[in-house]
Amino acid sequence: MSKELNDVAPSKGQVSTLYVAVEVSGKSWVVGIGDLVEPGKVGMHTLPPADAEGLVEKIGKVCARAGGPSRVLLTYEAGYEGFWVARWLGEHAPEIDVVVCDPASLEVVRKRKKAKTDKIDARRMVRALKAWDQGEAEALSVVRIPTVEEEDAKRLLRHRERLVKERTSLGNTIHGLLKLHGIRELDPRSPKFAVELAEVRTAFDTPLPPGLRDEVEATHERLVKVMEQLADVEEKKAALIAEAAAVVPSRDPSHEESDQPGTEDERAGSRPDLPGSSALLVKLKGIGANDALLLQNEVFYRDFRNRRELAAWAGLVPVPWASGDVENDQGISKAGNSMVRKHLVQLSWRWLRWQPDSEISKWYQNYCARRRNKLLRKRAIVAVARKLLIALWRYVLIGLVPTGAVFVKAT
């Protein structure tokens, strides 16, 4: 790629900039281009979908009429189109700076009924892009553009997530069909299921109706295929962990925290060694291969400046609502990747079980000992997830082992 896509920074009005926003969709691309002569005016253009070459040509014509601005800044919303537009422009039109924005960060009218069209959205993005470029950081949130390799590394666990859901759905479908006739003892995941299905009889001691048998057998065939694909994913996952273990530097678990290299401030904004992150994480008791690969490929490949930014990205920070005498707690923000947040909560429960002497587990135990409310215990696990995420980030980033944590015994 001809240039780094994540190095775009606001010019703060120091250079003449042409602002371009693209509202992408499967029907057409609506392009809003700010007017250099009349700053409040936005010209609207329509292109066929996925016409990146036409987009560059249109921008070139506008630049020629405007006398050639010093810079072209383009934005579009992160969505189903992914990041291929930014990558294509970075390769074929490196003179165009691209900022991919989070659509949830754009300001909207809070009226009960508000007009919404692609043209209105394009104009709104142009104004937000201009405000961001002039120094208003809250005008829009910039989405980090991953490399093709970083994005592809996420596919394995996301594929596994879909397969697990499909396996559960198909198994429940078979259970539901059999229960219609009083059959409860068969396990669809058992290798003997096909044989047992051929011999099973209903609660009225009659053979299965032919239509029901055909539907169950067809569903079971899909279930078997899903389980085979899931087994293949598990093999690939184990191979990735083994590969990571081969490249990760050796670390003595007996080292005290004071002997660990560096500090968070010294390494803030840097990125941990991606291939070795999962191998380091699975050394901690209670962290499995799924957890390690998820944290490595979904979280730790990103650049976080500090622990607050990390927790905010994961959506594990509280959202206050305070105005005058009114103070309400809206819970956590739930921003970012929901799959990561779900796995972090599950990992936190396992951490409490396998790392009971760690500082994080003791904090949870002391907190819950003073409060007998079950709802508060569930809320406290979210705080554990936030603390654990930060502790594991520091462990991977600077080698700081979570206080009181123990390692898996070497075999």
Side-chain angles (χ1 to χ4, degrees):
M1 198 168 288
S2 57
K3 69 174 183 178
E4 290 292 335
L5 296 177
N6 294 297
D7 289 343
V8 180
S11 66
K12 297 184 178 180
Q14 297 180 0
V15 296
S16 174
T17 303
L18 182 69
Y19 300 105
V20 182
V22 184
E23 178 67 19
V24 298
S25 68
K27 181 180 179 180
S28 63
W29 280 10
V30 178
V31 184
I33 303 179
D35 196 311
L36 291 175
V37 179
E38 300 182 30
K41 185 178 179 181
V42 178
M44 305 307 299
H45 310 270
T46 302
L47 297 175
D51 187 9
E53 294 181 357
L55 175 63
V56 175
E57 182 179 354
K58 176 65 68 176
I59 293 174
K61 291 180 179 179
V62 174
C63 289
R65 290 198 301 267
S70 303
R71 181 188 185 212
V72 177
L73 184 60
L74 180 145
T75 188
Y76 69 94
E77 296 176 340
Y80 289 110
E81 291 287 345
F83 301 100
W84 76 266
V85 179
R87 294 180 184 132
W88 191 93
L89 291 173
E91 184 70 29
H92 297 87
E95 69 278 3
I96 300 177
D97 291 336
V98 181
V99 170
V100 181
C101 69
D102 178 5
S105 67
L106 297 173
E107 293 184 358
V108 296
V109 178
R110 295 192 296 172
K111 295 181 180 179
R112 183 176 181 181
K113 289 185 178 181
K114 58 180 181 293
K116 185 188 184 308
T117 64
D118 289 345
K119 290 184 178 181
I120 292 175
D121 291 343
R123 290 192 184 97
R124 182 182 296 117
M125 282 193 289
V126 169
R127 298 189 187 100
L129 181 64
K130 182 178 180 180
W132 175 85
D133 187 51
Q134 292 178 351
E136 297 183 24
E138 296 183 355
L140 59 80
S141 295
V142 177
V143 177
R144 182 187 183 277
I145 303 174
T147 65
V148 175
E149 293 75 18
E150 289 171 343
E151 191 172 24
D152 190 63
K154 303 177 182 180
R155 300 266 65 87
L156 185 66
L157 282 190
R158 294 189 179 187
H159 184 205
R160 181 186 181 276
E161 189 84 0
R162 289 191 294 270
L163 289 175
V164 169
K165 290 181 180 179
E166 190 173 355
R167 181 185 64 181
T168 301
S169 176
L170 292 173
N172 290 341
T173 299
I174 294 174
H175 276 301
L177 292 172
L178 294 178
K179 285 180 181 179
L180 293 174
H181 294 270
I183 302 171
R184 299 174 179 273
E185 66 276 6
L186 297 187
D187 181 8
R189 300 185 191 179
S190 171
K192 300 178 181 179
F193 177 80
V195 177
E196 294 173 348
L197 181 66
E199 301 174 353
V200 75
R201 300 180 71 83
T202 67
F204 299 98
D205 199 26
T206 59
L208 283 179
L212 176 66
R213 183 182 296 276
D214 291 343
E215 185 176 358
V216 170
E217 289 177 348
T219 306
H220 184 254
E221 289 179 3
R222 297 201 299 273
L223 176 61
V224 171
K225 183 63 176 179
V226 168
M227 293 172 63
E228 291 175 354
Q229 293 179 355
L230 193 55
D232 181 60
V233 169
E234 295 294 339
E235 291 180 2
K236 293 179 179 178
K237 184 179 66 178
L240 286 176
I241 294 294
E243 181 182 352
V247 300
V248 69
S250 60
R251 180 173 296 170
D252 186 0
S254 63
H255 280 180
E256 296 295 334
E257 293 179 13
S258 59
D259 295 333
Q260 299 296 345
T263 64
E264 180 183 340
D265 292 336
E266 292 172 359
R267 295 283 302 276
S270 62
R271 187 171 56 178
D273 179 29
L274 181 61
S277 300
S278 58
L280 289 174
L281 290 168
V282 294
K283 292 181 179 181
L284 291 171
K285 195 173 183 180
I287 298 183
N290 287 337
D291 307 319
L293 289 175
L294 179 83
L295 292 172
Q296 171 183 278
N297 297 328
E298 295 281 356
V299 185
F300 292 156
Y301 81 93
R302 302 172 183 268
D303 304 319
F304 297 105
R305 291 174 294 182
N306 50 57
R307 66 184 185 279
R308 295 180 183 86
E309 189 174 284
L310 171 63
W313 174 89
L316 295 172
V317 294
V319 181
W321 179 277
S323 178
D325 296 333
V326 179
E327 291 188 9
N328 294 326
D329 183 6
Q330 301 183 95
I332 60 174
S333 66
K334 295 186 179 180
N337 193 321
S338 60
M339 182 180 72
V340 171
R341 194 162 50 255
K342 178 189 71 174
H343 280 273
L344 282 172
V345 173
Q346 295 173 350
L347 173 59
S348 299
W349 287 114
R350 290 194 297 272
W351 183 269
L352 295 179
R353 178 182 179 184
W354 296 105
Q355 300 279 5
D357 296 327
S358 66
E359 184 180 51
I360 296 175
S361 298
K362 289 181 178 179
W363 175 89
Y364 178 83
Q365 294 162 6
N366 294 334
Y367 181 89
C368 295
R370 301 191 302 268
R371 300 167 177 83
R372 299 296 181 181
N373 192 317
K374 292 183 179 180
L375 180 59
L376 291 178
R377 295 171 66 91
K378 291 183 178 180
R379 290 179 178 176
I381 200 65
V382 177
V384 172
R386 180 170 60 249
K387 292 175 179 290
L388 183 59
L389 175 62
I390 294 171
L392 295 178
W393 174 64
R394 286 171 171 168
Y395 167 59
V396 171
L397 185 68
I398 59 177
L400 185 62
V401 179
T403 305
V406 296
F407 288 80
V408 177
K409 294 181 178 179
T411 56

